[in-house]
Every structure is written in structure tokens, then in C-alpha cells.
Amino acid sequence: MKKLLLAILLTLFTASILPTTSSAATDTNYVNAVGAGKKLLQKTNAFNQTIGNGDLYYIDEQYDAFSAEIKKVERAIGKVSGSKNRKYLNDTYVKVAKVARERVIYEVSQYRLIAVITDSYYNSEFTKMKNDYAKLDRLKKRAVAIKQAGGYKALPTSVNQELTAYINWFSDKLTQTTAGDGEAVKLTYNPATGDILLNGATLSQSRNETFATLGQPTYKELDEFLGETSLAYVYPYPYSEYDEDLYVSYDGNDKVYFISHTYIAGGYGFPAEFLDAFDGDVYYNPYPTDDALDEIIFVSPTGQILNAQFYEDYTYGEGNFYALYRLMNIDGNFDPSLYEPIDPSALY
């Protein structure tokens, strides 16, 4: 009798500490959860490998899909009967995945906020840029505190080096209040004069007037450009391989006759204030040159032309574009009949 009682107690004790896998193994929900959990483990290993490579771009690229996979497995486990079974499955499959995600959650948040700050900078939204930069600084401090408290495995040094490089780059821009200081593009139009302006500079200015408008360039290069002397303003970008930001070319009388400006854009949008003020003609080129995806041409009543070509920029993120603006006087080669007139309202 004592042996029988002991056997019963042992069986009850074992059942209290182990998942009821014998019965659960035949349960469809349990089997589905195990299958989903095993796939999650594979994805966790792959995500950890991506983290180990230390490239924030790819970590960020995989982050949302990996988070969605975790939620999928959690939902599958939630359908399993028995709290012990659910705990066992969560401990086996979900916990390790969440640790991998939590290792980089703050770095991904910083990386994405940097993209927002970049857009603010190139759209000349300097107040928003400064506010978001303050958030970025708080995220950075919070990341350090959480990592220390949670005892997470350190990330590759390249991750923090990349974030630090971006943060340092922005710290140099925080004193800016106008679009003429640095890389930010400001496209405006003066209907009273018919002038199209890039960062306040327009055609027919003198060299000294251009300096007064744009400030002294951080880098000057005298070169033969379209047969004339040009002055290159060159600024580095944190995301793009395209270094040349602004070219200003002068004629023999030291007057500006060509301005070219390259910048990173989040899409095809033109500034609303420019489109609202512009009173000239607008054309779309269905057959752009130089491998451009699209080309928009603005022609002012005084004969100034702004040629805007858009190229896909994978360094900034798939589906984004960079624009090349060319501002020049119309010459005899421009033929409106080769282009399709469009309504500026289509460009908002």
C-alpha cells in the first residue's frame, strides 16, 4: 500500500513540474505552436547572425518582419490548452527570440529617428530637427541604461560607431536657422521677378552676390564646366554616395548662368510654397535622359528653366529618391512640344 501511495505522489509531482506533452502532443494547437516555434528559432538564429555582422541597415530591414514572427508564434501558443504547456513553449521558443530583438530595439529606434531628422534637415524644418535630435539623445542614454540593467550581450562596435557618426554629423547642424547654411535645399519662386531660387541663389547674380547668399563654400574647385569657370560647393551626406551638393557656374561677366543642386529627397514632392507661387509652365518628360526615372521641367515667364530629375536611391532606402535640380536660362534647344504639359497641383 505504501508503494502504491508513493507511486501516486510521484506521478502527481512529475505532472506538476513538466508540461503535459503526452496529451499535448496529440493536440492540433500544440503541434501547430511547436512547428511555428521551430521556425522562429531558425529566424532567431538568422537575426542573431545579422546582428553579428554589425550593419544597421540590414538589422533595421529585418526587424519588423522578425517582430511579426514573434507575435505570430505568441498567438499560436495562446491557443494551446494548459498554462504549463504555454509556459514551456514560450520559454523554449519565444523568450530567446525576444532577447535577440531587445538587444537592438534602441539602436533600431535611433536609426529610424535619424531618418526622420534627415528629412527635417533637407526640408529646412530646423525646429523639428532640433526637437527630434533631443529625443535621439534621450534614446541613446536610455539604451545604455537598459543594456547595463538587462545584461544583454554587447553589440558589434560597428553598430555604435555608425550611430555615433550620424549623431556627430547632426550636432554640427543644430545652429542652422536658414536653408542657405549647408546641405538643406530650399526651392522658392519670386513671381514679381520671375526668379526661381535654389537656397536663395538665382541666375544673373554676381559671384560676390552668390557668396553673400550662400556663404563661403566649405570646398571650392575651379574647373572647366560647359566651357566656363564653375564654383563647386561640396558637402558630404550621411546616407548617400552622392557628394556634389551645389554647383554654380559663371559666364565671362562673372554672372551666374547655371546652378545645379543634388539632394536626398524622401519622394517626388516639391515644396508646397514653391508650387503655390509658381506662375509659369510645367512639363513632364516621359523619356528622361541619364537613366532618370522621371523628369519635371518648370519654365518661368522670364525664361528661367528648372529641370528636376529623379533617381531611385537605394543607399537611402528602397522606394526613396534623390533629385538633381538644374536651374538655367532657356536656350534655343528647348522645345515645349517634346514634353507633356501638366498641372502643378499634381506635384503636391
Side-chain angles (χ1 to χ4, degrees):
M1 185 68 180
K2 290 183 178 179
K3 291 182 179 180
L4 178 60
L5 181 60
L6 181 61
I8 293 174
L9 291 174
L10 181 61
T11 300
L12 292 174
F13 176 74
T14 302
S16 69
I17 63 172
L18 293 177
T20 56
T21 55
S22 58
S23 60
T26 61
D27 182 83
T28 301
N29 289 333
Y30 187 89
V31 172
N32 290 340
V34 170
K38 289 180 178 179
K39 290 181 181 179
L40 178 60
L41 282 183
Q42 294 175 348
K43 293 181 182 296
T44 301
N45 291 335
F47 190 62
N48 278 326
Q49 184 175 351
T50 299
I51 294 174
N53 292 336
D55 191 323
L56 256 175
Y57 174 82
Y58 293 106
I59 294 172
D60 174 67
E61 188 178 51
Q62 297 177 19
Y63 184 88
D64 289 338
F66 184 61
S67 295
E69 194 68 22
I70 293 174
K71 290 182 179 179
K72 177 181 176 182
V73 175
E74 286 182 316
R75 287 194 297 268
I77 293 175
K79 297 177 182 179
V80 175
S81 301
S83 60
K84 295 184 181 67
N85 290 329
R86 292 192 296 271
K87 182 179 185 305
Y88 170 76
L89 293 171
N90 274 302
D91 289 346
T92 304
Y93 301 115
V94 176
K95 187 175 181 179
V96 65
K98 286 188 173 181
V99 168
R101 183 179 62 178
E102 289 164 5
R103 279 184 69 198
V104 295
I105 185 171
Y106 282 98
E107 285 72 19
V108 169
S109 297
Q110 290 177 71
Y111 188 75
R112 293 181 178 184
L113 185 55
I114 284 170
V116 173
I117 295 173
T118 301
D119 286 340
S120 297
Y121 181 68
Y122 288 116
N123 290 327
S124 303
E125 298 171 345
F126 295 106
T127 299
K128 185 176 185 301
M129 173 188 168
K130 292 174 182 178
N131 291 336
D132 286 337
Y133 184 87
K135 295 179 185 178
L136 182 64
D137 188 54
R138 291 195 295 271
L139 271 176
K140 183 179 178 181
K141 293 177 180 177
R142 181 65 174 161
V144 173
I146 291 295
K147 296 297 176 66
Q148 290 176 346
Y152 293 95
K153 182 180 178 181
L155 296 174
T157 56
S158 58
V159 172
N160 288 323
Q161 286 174 348
E162 185 175 354
L163 287 173
T164 299
Y166 293 145
I167 292 170
N168 289 343
W169 186 85
F170 283 122
S171 67
D172 295 334
K173 309 294 185 291
L174 293 178
T175 57
Q176 291 185 194
T177 56
T178 64
D181 301 329
E183 294 95 318
V185 169
K186 186 69 173 179
L187 178 62
T188 54
Y189 176 70
N190 184 347
T193 62
D195 284 335
I196 302 172
L197 301 96
L198 291 177
N199 284 28
T202 189
L203 301 172
S204 302
Q205 283 187 327
S206 69
R207 183 186 297 265
N208 288 336
E209 287 172 334
T210 305
F211 282 164
T213 301
L214 300 173
Q216 291 289 335
T218 55
Y219 174 75
K220 290 190 293 184
E221 177 184 313
L222 293 177
D223 195 3
E224 290 302 310
F225 188 59
L226 296 181
E228 301 291 343
T229 299
S230 66
L231 175 66
Y233 294 75
V234 181
Y235 304 102
Y237 292 112
Y239 286 100
S240 177
E241 62 185 296
Y242 303 97
D243 294 327
E244 296 78 21
D245 182 76
L246 178 62
Y247 279 102
V248 182
S249 186
Y250 304 90
D251 62 17
N253 296 319
D254 210 30
K255 296 291 185 181
V256 176
Y257 78 95
F258 186 98
I259 302 175
S260 179
H261 205 147
T262 305
Y263 79 114
I264 296 298
Y268 290 110
F270 291 91
E273 61 270 21
F274 171 78
L275 296 174
D276 290 341
F278 190 75
D279 57 0
D281 298 317
V282 186
Y283 301 91
Y284 170 71
N285 181 5
Y287 307 105
T289 58
D290 300 328
D291 298 322
L293 297 179
D294 283 305
E295 182 176 13
I296 308 296
I297 301 171
F298 297 84
V299 182
S300 79
T302 59
Q304 291 184 21
I305 179 171
L306 175 72
N307 172 280
Q309 292 183 335
F310 292 88
Y311 303 80
E312 193 153 13
D313 180 17
Y314 290 101
T315 64
Y316 187 63
E318 187 174 358
N320 288 279
F321 304 86
Y322 74 90
L324 173 62
Y325 286 162
R326 296 186 180 97
L327 177 60
M328 65 194 82
N329 286 314
I330 294 179
D331 57 29
N333 295 323
F334 180 77
D335 184 356
S337 66
L338 298 177
Y339 307 100
E340 299 177 1
I342 62 171
D343 191 323
S345 63
L347 302 174
Y348 281 93

